[in-house]
Amino acid sequence: MTELLKSWLSQGPSGQQLISFNHHDIVTGGLFATQVHHLHKRLVTSSEQRWLLACDSSDQFAVGLCAALLAGKQLILPANTQPGTLSELTHEFDAVLADQPLCEGKQYIALKKELSQPLAPWPKLPPDCDFGELILFTSGSSGYPKAVRKTLRQLDAEVTVLEQTFAKHLPHCSVIATVSHQHIYGLLFKILWPLAASRPFLSDLVEYPETLSYYTALFPKLCLISSPAQLSRLPEALGFERQIHTPSLIFSSGGPLSLEAAQGIRQCYGSFPIEVYGSTETGGIGYRRQHSADTPWRAFAPMVLNIDPEDNALLLQSPYLEDNQVLRCEDKITLLDKELFRLEGRLDRIVKIEEKRLSLTQMEGLLNSHPWVQQSHLLLLEAPRQQLGAVVELSAYGKQQLAIEGKLSINNGLKAHLLSQFERVTLPRRWRYPDTMPMNAQGKLLKQEIVQLFDHD
């Protein structure tokens, strides 16, 4: 297996390589190398080893990423920059590399485009250079953020496999994304893979269908990195009409894409999106183009799949994991042969809301800390559309406030409490306040009765 990413990172881009672009600006390899050079110089003289990395602009994020990896630093990538999230992680990092100061009392280096810096070469590395590593934080089943360590070897293995698997479909493509580079999917597909394969990427996030149409008209060959929630809404926004200008390839990851959405994308763009299944811990495990409801997944070439005979949980061996250990995943699967499989649902309390991984246990813990709440239970509702439901047994004080202020005020107060750690799109949309939590004589939750609370609005 070639070391595509490591080779590029060691040598740097050619002066003429187009790194990134947006509607008013481009970054060439020469400018990118200069920015990385000057930031690397500052980082190697800093005693701080653990740096939080967060930046909205993908080109400046890439500058910080490359400079820190070359300087042998450890990079902390938070799931979001909500104050509660950063507060929970504050002991995990010593300094901040970002486009704005995020934490008081920590050393801070601003990521911003400096056009007045003297041109400089890519940092020269000693032969025995130890590259830095990344730590991503994701929702653990225990309810606490779980640190996932990614070495350059692991990231390189995945970038190389992606190139070997899909390069024939991506001749001289530019890459645009509707997803954030702060998470593993966007990090790999929008930043690391394009850099290593010399494909320019859009430095901005595509937020509107009109922006997407603008770039598909501008670039004859385009690769779109998107998510199920965004792709599900896109056909309606495009009027379910066949588009004159279409991306060469569309990727979707972060959660299940409905067959209806896949067919809608094909109707508008002429081809099915490629869905990638995986997680922060595992990286990409398999992919498919969903032609029908039972289209199986195909494992990426280096994966070795098995199942736990007790509950059919996926047992995975992958070069993207440390020490090639066997990892038990909390996804139930049916193994059709050594390469093909079907997903049969989750075995734990981690869910995806708008492609954002969420621990129900963690959110319940925060809810239960509010003085209005005695206890709570969250569940994923599938009808009339997928959304989070909250069943809350209020404390005596909470019941008093409910009687005085009304349900809407209580809803808004609890949502404001959750916003200290969770993004707004992940919050419960439907709330129920029974006098007591439905339980049996043994103190076990009566799941069916809880679900029935949402039968009528």
Side-chain angles (χ1 to χ4, degrees):
M1 187 180 286
T2 58
E3 295 181 321
L4 190 67
L5 180 59
K6 184 178 178 182
S7 173
W8 183 90
L9 200 56
S10 300
Q11 298 167 17
S14 68
Q16 297 308 307
Q17 179 181 338
L18 179 57
I19 300 294
S20 67
F21 61 93
N22 58 26
H23 68 284
H24 61 77
D25 195 15
I26 64 169
V27 174
T28 62
L31 176 58
F32 188 75
T34 295
Q35 291 184 287
V36 170
H37 175 98
H38 291 289
L39 180 56
H40 175 266
K41 203 170 175 182
R42 293 183 67 181
L43 288 172
V44 292
T45 57
S46 171
S47 60
E48 280 78 8
Q49 185 61 22
R50 305 176 304 164
W51 289 77
L52 182 91
L53 175 62
C55 185
D56 286 339
S57 174
S58 291
D59 59 347
Q60 292 308 299
F61 176 90
V63 168
L65 180 72
C66 291
L69 288 175
L70 293 169
K73 302 296 185 182
Q74 187 182 77
L75 284 172
I76 311 301
L77 269 60
N80 57 62
T81 54
Q82 304 292 98
T85 300
L86 296 180
S87 176
E88 277 194 328
L89 298 181
T90 188
H91 61 285
E92 300 284 350
F93 59 92
D94 311 310
V96 175
L97 201 52
D99 49 357
Q100 55 185 315
L102 295 172
C103 299
E104 290 184 14
K106 303 264 188 183
Q107 185 184 342
Y108 165 61
I109 295 181
L111 287 173
K112 56 184 179 181
K113 196 171 291 183
E114 296 280 4
L115 300 177
S116 60
Q117 292 172 320
L119 284 174
W122 193 254
K124 190 163 283 188
L125 303 176
D128 57 346
C129 166
D130 286 328
F131 289 96
E133 64 179 17
L134 276 67
I135 307 287
L136 296 101
F137 283 86
T138 186
S139 296
S141 56
S142 66
Y144 295 99
K146 178 183 176 184
V148 179
R149 177 175 173 265
K150 294 285 181 181
T151 64
L152 184 63
R153 179 197 65 77
Q154 292 168 279
L155 297 168
D156 201 356
E158 185 152 13
V159 165
T160 301
V161 168
L162 290 174
E163 181 68 6
Q164 290 170 347
T165 308
F166 300 117
K168 59 183 177 290
H169 304 291
L170 293 169
H172 309 296
C173 269
S174 298
V175 177
I176 66 174
T178 65
V179 297
S180 169
H181 50 241
Q182 292 286 149
H183 301 272
I184 191 68
Y185 171 46
L187 174 70
L188 283 163
F189 280 72
K190 187 185 180 182
I191 305 286
L192 296 178
W193 182 18
L195 283 177
S198 297
R199 294 189 187 95
F201 57 83
L202 179 68
S203 57
D204 300 332
L205 200 64
V206 175
E207 297 185 75
Y208 305 105
E210 298 86 351
T211 311
L212 176 57
S213 296
Y214 169 80
Y215 283 110
T216 52
L218 200 60
F219 293 95
K221 295 187 183 300
L222 197 68
C223 175
L224 172 62
I225 312 301
S226 194
S227 71
Q230 292 154 330
L231 292 178
S232 297
R233 294 189 280 263
L234 188 56
E236 184 178 1
L238 297 174
F240 296 99
E241 295 179 358
R242 179 61 191 268
Q243 304 297 296
I244 300 171
H245 306 288
T246 63
S248 303
L249 211 58
I250 301 167
F251 286 101
S252 175
S253 191
L257 182 70
S258 69
L259 177 61
E260 181 186 7
Q263 291 171 333
I265 293 298
R266 183 174 184 267
Q267 184 177 336
C268 294
Y269 286 142
S271 62
F272 288 101
I274 295 176
E275 295 175 74
V276 177
Y277 156 63
S279 69
T280 305
E281 295 93 330
T282 63
I285 296 171
Y287 62 99
R288 70 172 181 177
R289 272 189 156 137
Q290 192 180 178
H291 299 272
S292 64
D294 60 352
T295 303
W297 297 84
R298 179 175 295 278
F300 284 106
M303 302 295 141
V304 179
L305 309 184
N306 282 296
I307 57 173
D308 187 324
E310 286 192 9
D311 56 6
N312 281 14
L314 168 61
L315 302 177
L316 176 69
Q317 270 186 290
S318 163
Y320 311 162
L321 301 172
E322 286 189 88
D323 306 322
N324 205 31
Q325 81 270 33
V326 176
L327 178 71
R328 176 189 158 92
C329 304
E330 294 302 316
D331 285 308
K332 187 177 180 180
I333 70 163
T334 297
L335 205 52
L336 304 176
D337 64 27
K338 66 176 185 178
E339 291 182 348
L340 297 177
F341 63 97
R342 287 199 181 94
L343 291 172
E344 309 289 359
R346 292 289 293 180
L347 294 165
D348 63 7
R349 298 196 72 220
I350 301 293
V351 299
K352 290 284 184 72
I353 304 291
E354 296 283 330
E355 284 71 63
K356 297 182 185 296
R357 183 166 145 157
L358 173 71
S359 165
L360 298 183
T361 305
Q362 182 184 7
M363 186 175 278
E364 285 168 358
L366 184 57
L367 260 182
N368 294 342
S369 71
H370 195 284
W372 292 348
V373 177
Q374 183 68 30
Q375 59 178 320
S376 63
H377 181 77
L378 300 172
L379 66 162
L380 192 62
L381 302 168
E382 299 292 347
R385 61 187 180 279
Q386 193 181 76
Q387 56 190 319
L388 206 57
V391 179
V392 180
E393 180 185 332
L394 295 171
S395 64
Y397 177 49
K399 289 174 181 175
Q400 185 181 22
Q401 294 302 307
L402 178 65
I404 296 169
E405 299 182 20
K407 185 185 175 191
L408 182 61
S409 178
I410 297 296
N411 288 359
N412 291 336
L414 294 179
K415 285 179 183 178
H417 181 60
L418 292 178
L419 279 171
S420 67
Q421 288 185 25
F422 298 94
E423 295 175 79
R424 188 172 293 279
V425 294
T426 66
L427 299 188
R429 297 293 178 90
R430 300 172 71 188
W431 297 78
R432 296 291 183 270
Y433 300 103
D435 284 338
T436 57
M437 193 69 74
M439 289 185 177
N440 64 16
Q442 288 74 43
K444 299 284 187 183
L445 286 170
L446 295 170
K447 298 292 178 66
Q448 194 56 41
E449 289 192 20
I450 285 176
V451 172
Q452 288 170 353
L453 290 172
F454 295 91
D455 283 351
H456 305 286
D457 284 315

